[in-house]
Structure formats: structure tokens, C-alpha cells
Amino acid sequence: MTVHQRVPRGFSDHADDPGPDGGHGDDPGLDAGARAVRHSINRIAATAGELADSAHRQGLVSATRQLLARILQSLTGLAPAGTPPVDGSRALGERCARSGVPIASLIATADLGADLLWSALQQAPTEQGRPEPARLAAESGRYWRCVQDHTQAVREGHARCRQSPSPPHVQGSHGQGDDPAGALIARAGNLPGSAGAVLAVCVLGCRTPVAAHRLEAALADAGIASAWVTSGRNGSGLIVAERGESGALPGILARHLPGRVGLAPPGPLLKARDALAVALWTARSLPSDRTEVAAAEDRLPAVLVAAAPALAPLLTGRGVTTLLSLPPALGGDLVRTVEALLAEDGSPTGAGERLFCHRNTVMYRMQRVQEVTGRGMAGTEDKLMWSLALLAQQIHGGAEETS
């Protein structure tokens, strides 16, 4: 008798349902074994409530019940169509992070719940009667591996939500539970075709205020479903990728969003929060005076630099900032020389042609650069550091965008 045969028939469809009267009554739609397991889950959830403070009690009780339900769905192979149970646990971790449920409390409750649930599964009667102890012991490994997979997924989701920034106009800042990014993702989930993949878009510094309803209408006229959240001259959107990857999309965005527009690669709606962050970094990687629609994969080095503003002083301090501290004419010439050499793969002749000067002038200037900064351009790492430093100066050296 396998683990999934011990889960009573009909239970996985109701596993996250507390039942009548909050789980204290009997549901005639379930057999005796299913009722026994569900009552066990409700007892576990009640214990979870005792472990949390009053502000998080409801969230922890609900999250515990949902996590145990997904573990059972994995064991039975009877999960509803759509998101796999482990991905559902990962999304559960994200929701807990957004609502402030402490991960330590959730994992502690999950560990306790896994013990109690295993005891309930051993005792639950099935059509074949109770399983033999030897068979239960042999199959316990599968059960605990499943528990480990789901608790690890919850941890990953919780950590990812706390680490992934949202664009400033979709960050919750008006109190606990305020999550405009989550609301945007929920709206996108109702769009036809969103079960496939979505494209995340972010616009910063638009020349005119961004109107969500106008954007949605303009894209709908082209047969592209989308959902948007906007604030002033900034905005973010999720576009159904099935039609959004057509050649018409960049032109539509350029016409309606005259600003810095970043596009993330298409991906599942479950990872839309990460995609919104990538779109934001892509928009930030564009020069502040430019009106452009750019894809993240077309400018990955700049996107990486945009995503790490704390590293900008380290990148620029030893090289670009030192050069720019020189008298403007000299410092400007040296920076332009570095840029030209990078563009010409270190060739003084090619750089001289770009700068309309002799190659010896280029070599003399690079000698001055090395004297001033202590960094030349002979090695691959030196070239990489100069490239990243110039990108950091371009992206983080100017004024920040305003909402």
C-alpha cells in the first residue's frame, strides 16, 4: 500500500478547507478517514495560532493549513490543474513575507504539523484497512522528502519576496498588507492567456503622466491583454506574452510611454514579482535623458550595474571619479580616451580615429590614466572594471528619477 493510498479518497480536494464551523463539524462528503485527517490539520492549525502574536495569528493558521494541504496534494498526485503543489508552497512563502508572517514561526509550525499529520495518516482507515507497520516504515522516507521539499519551497518564496525590490510606484508603503505589486499580479492572473507567460514592463520618467486605462485600451486594440499600475510619470505592467511578443509591442509602448521603458523576458506569472524588478533595473539602466524601449537581455551588463547601486562607489571610486576630479578639460579627455579604447578593443589606432587624434596621443593619455588611477587597460579584468565603472557613472552618477 503506497503513501497516496493511505490518504483517504476525496480528501485532497478539500485539504485546505477548514470544514463546517471552522473545522469542528463533519462533512458528509468525506469518508471517515478524510474527516480524521482534516480534524488533525485543524488541531495543528489551532496550535499554530498559539505560536503567533495576535497580529499574525490568522495568517499563520491559514498558511499552516495550506502548506499541509499542498504536501498531501503532492503525495496523492491529485493536485488541481495549474500550479504544481511545490510552486504553490513557494508562492505561499511569498504571501507570508508580504503579510508579515515570520518564517521561523511558519517553519516551526510546519515541523510540528508534519509530525502530527504523519501520525494521522498512519491511523486513518482506508478501503484496504490500516497499513502494516513495516510498510509504513518503508514509505516514511518518501513522506519526509516531500515535507522537506515543501518547507524548502516556503523558505525560498519568503526569502525571494524580501530580497526582490518592486518598482517604487508598486511598493507597499501605506501600512501592513498594502501590496500594489501583489494586486497587479492578481489582476494579471485574470487576463486570458496569463496561465502561459507574461512580460513585465516598467517605465520611469515619462514625459507625460502615465494613464493605466489608456495603456490597457491601446494594447487591447492591438489584441494584447495587459494590466497596469501607475503613479505620476512612472508605471509598471504585466502583458500576456502570447500576443505581447509580437513586433507591434515596442512601437505601441514607445508611442504611449515617452520615457525609459524596460522589458523583462517572458516568464510564468508565479515569478512576476522578480520580473517586475528586472524591468525596473532595465529602465534604470537607460540614460536619464533618453526615451527608449529596451529589453533586459539586450543590455545585461548595464542591468546588472543598475541592480547594485551600493556597489557604484566602489566601481567608480578608483577610476572614473578620480579622473573626473581633475581639471575638466584634462579629466574629460582621459575619460573619453578610456571609452574609445574600450570601444576599439584596446587598439590605440582605432581609438585615435574615433577621437580624431594620433595614436601616440592616445598612448600618452593612457599613460596618464595609469599614473593617476593606478589602473591600465592591458588585462581583461582591467577592461572589465573600466567598462563597469563607466556604466556605474552613467547610471548612478546623475539625479534619481522622481515619481
Side-chain angles (χ1 to χ4, degrees):
M1 182 178 297
T2 62
V3 170
H4 77 268
Q5 288 174 315
R6 290 200 309 280
V7 180
R9 180 174 298 173
F11 179 76
S12 63
D13 293 333
H14 305 270
D16 56 355
D17 177 6
D21 302 321
H24 301 292
D26 287 335
D27 184 344
L30 301 181
D31 61 30
R35 288 196 297 273
V37 176
R38 189 167 67 180
H39 287 329
S40 178
I41 285 185
N42 289 329
R43 289 197 301 272
I44 296 165
T47 303
E50 297 173 1
L51 294 177
D53 56 45
S54 57
H56 300 128
R57 183 168 295 127
Q58 178 100 22
L60 185 58
V61 169
S62 175
T64 302
R65 182 177 285 115
Q66 293 178 53
L67 177 59
L68 296 177
R70 286 181 173 84
I71 290 171
L72 286 175
Q73 288 169 353
S74 287
L75 289 171
T76 61
L78 298 176
T83 304
V86 170
D87 287 347
S89 292
R90 193 170 289 108
L92 174 64
E94 293 185 10
R95 292 197 298 274
C96 288
R98 291 196 295 270
S99 60
V101 174
I103 187 62
S105 298
L106 181 56
I107 295 302
T109 309
D111 289 342
L112 171 64
D115 285 331
L116 295 178
L117 181 57
W118 179 242
S119 297
L121 288 173
Q122 293 180 71
Q123 298 301 317
T126 67
E127 294 176 355
Q128 293 83 12
R130 298 187 189 279
E132 297 177 359
R135 173 72 67 150
L136 283 173
E139 291 189 0
S140 65
R142 180 188 170 200
Y143 173 82
W144 290 110
R145 282 194 299 272
C146 182
V147 170
Q148 185 176 19
D149 289 345
H150 280 267
T151 54
Q152 180 60 31
V154 168
R155 289 180 186 274
E156 291 172 358
H158 199 282
R160 182 170 64 186
C161 183
R162 295 178 67 86
Q163 293 170 2
S164 296
S166 294
H169 43 278
V170 296
Q171 286 177 348
S173 56
H174 307 293
Q176 183 174 331
D178 184 22
D179 183 23
L184 173 62
I185 294 169
R187 284 185 58 212
N190 294 324
L191 297 173
S194 62
V198 293
L199 286 163
V201 185
C202 179
V203 57
L204 297 175
C206 196
R207 293 178 181 174
T208 57
V210 182
H213 67 282
R214 291 180 183 174
L215 276 171
E216 291 172 1
L219 288 165
D221 288 343
I224 301 172
S226 66
W228 292 81
V229 60
T230 61
S231 175
R233 300 178 187 274
N234 301 331
S236 285
L238 293 171
I239 297 172
V240 175
E242 183 180 9
R243 293 294 303 276
E245 291 183 278
S246 67
L249 179 61
I252 296 173
L253 294 178
R255 284 196 301 275
H256 292 272
L257 298 174
R260 293 179 288 162
V261 182
L263 301 177
L269 187 63
L270 184 66
K271 298 185 179 180
R273 191 175 292 271
D274 289 345
L276 286 168
V278 172
L280 168 66
W281 295 328
T282 304
R284 283 181 173 170
S285 75
L286 295 168
S288 58
D289 59 350
R290 186 178 300 179
T291 297
E292 182 179 342
V293 177
E297 56 265 42
D298 292 338
R299 48 186 301 106
L300 279 177
V303 174
L304 286 169
V305 172
L311 294 180
L314 296 176
L315 290 170
T316 61
R318 183 178 166 189
V320 177
T321 301
T322 302
L323 296 180
L324 292 178
S325 67
L326 299 173
L330 176 58
D333 281 346
L334 296 182
V335 170
R336 284 189 290 274
T337 299
V338 172
E339 292 173 334
L341 280 166
L342 289 172
E344 296 294 332
D345 198 25
S347 166
T349 301
E353 292 174 355
R354 278 180 174 265
L355 298 170
F356 303 102
C357 65
H358 196 274
R359 70 187 304 274
N360 289 346
T361 302
V362 173
M363 295 173 69
Y364 168 74
R365 288 178 181 174
M366 272 312 300
Q367 184 178 347
R368 290 280 290 147
V369 167
Q370 187 157 7
E371 291 172 356
V372 171
T373 67
R375 173 171 289 145
M377 201 178 288
T380 301
E381 185 173 344
D382 286 329
K383 293 176 184 176
L384 175 62
M385 291 300 297
W386 278 114
S387 297
L388 294 176
L390 290 169
L391 283 172
Q393 178 63 30
Q394 170 191 304
I395 295 167
H396 301 294
E400 290 290 327
E401 65 275 350
T402 59
S403 298

